[in-house]
Amino acid sequence: MPVSVQSDDMDRAWVDAARARANLVPAQAARTVEPSAVPLMNIANILTVLRILIVPLFLLALFAAGGHDTGWRLGATVLFGAAAITDRIDGQLARKYGLVTDFGKLADPIADKALIGAALIGLSALGDLAWWITLVICAREVGVTLLRLVVVRRGVIPAGRGGKVKTLVQSLAIGVLLLPLSGAFATAGIWLMYVAVVLTVVTGLDYVVQAARLWSGPVKRS
């Protein structure tokens, strides 16, 4: 099932938007992107909005008929996969065709985190995933985003390969747990989620270290 691997990239895009509003983006970068020349209603932004609209539909399907009906769980899995596909496609389209807008920079990470967060909270509410796992992952995502914003005047924390692998494993684990599986398959989903938690904590600590280094360094000026 296609999955998103852009969660940390979207955090970086969110911070870039904050830097632009603070007039901290270098002049060369400002000349490269002209938001006024890009229509707000472009295909990339439409896909982002579509992903946001899928989230409540996904939750309705996940909790329908008590949350453990085979048909509804398959439907929820399909909606999750469809949303993940839009996350992959809209970023590629925005970069390839120069469709980057301030709206997209802000809405895309919101849509991405809303989807992952809704899936984790929904699975925990249904008893299919321990609440401590959901809390650890959600706290890490919110914490990293706040760290990026706090140190934005001193630099941008780049998205590392570990963060992308973390998001990939998270999405795979969620996909397996959403499916109406039992036995070894369900166990495999749980173990995938354990791996995702380890990657979540390790990459989160790495961001803390990078943020501390940036914070102790000089403030970057345009």
Side-chain angles (χ1 to χ4, degrees), residues 181-206:
L181 303 173
S182 60
F185 292 102
T187 302
I190 292 296
W191 278 104
L192 267 176
M193 189 59 76
Y194 288 155
V195 174
V197 170
V198 172
L199 291 173
T200 295
V201 173
V202 171
T203 56
L205 291 175
D206 180 60

Side-chain angles (χ1 to χ4, degrees), residues 76-213:
T77 305
V78 170
L79 287 171
F80 181 84
I85 290 174
T86 66
D87 188 28
R88 180 70 173 177
I89 294 176
D90 64 9
Q92 292 178 337
L93 290 175
R95 291 188 296 270
K96 183 176 181 180
Y97 297 105
L99 300 177
V100 178
T101 64
D102 287 341
F103 172 81
K105 291 178 181 178
L106 294 173
D108 200 271
I110 291 174
D112 182 60
K113 295 181 186 303
L115 178 65
I116 296 294
L120 292 171
I121 293 172
L123 288 169
S124 292
L126 291 172
D128 296 331
L129 181 67
W131 274 107
W132 70 266
I133 293 178
T134 293
L135 293 175
V136 167
I137 293 177
C138 289
R140 185 270 188 196
E141 298 302 333
V142 173
V144 166
T145 299
L146 293 177
L147 274 177
R148 288 177 180 275
L149 294 173
V150 167
V151 302
V152 66
R153 292 182 61 86
R154 289 174 167 79
V156 175
I157 303 176
R161 182 173 298 179
K164 295 181 179 180
V165 173
K166 176 267 304 179
T167 305
L168 173 62
V169 177
Q170 279 182 3
S171 300
L172 285 172
I174 289 172
V176 174
L177 292 176
L178 285 173
L179 289 170
L181 303 173
S182 60
F185 292 102
T187 302
I190 292 296
W191 278 104
L192 267 176
M193 189 59 76
Y194 288 155
V195 174
V197 170
V198 172
L199 291 173
T200 295
V201 173
V202 171
T203 56
L205 291 175
D206 180 60
Y207 278 114
V208 171
V209 172
Q210 292 186 63
R213 290 174 178 171

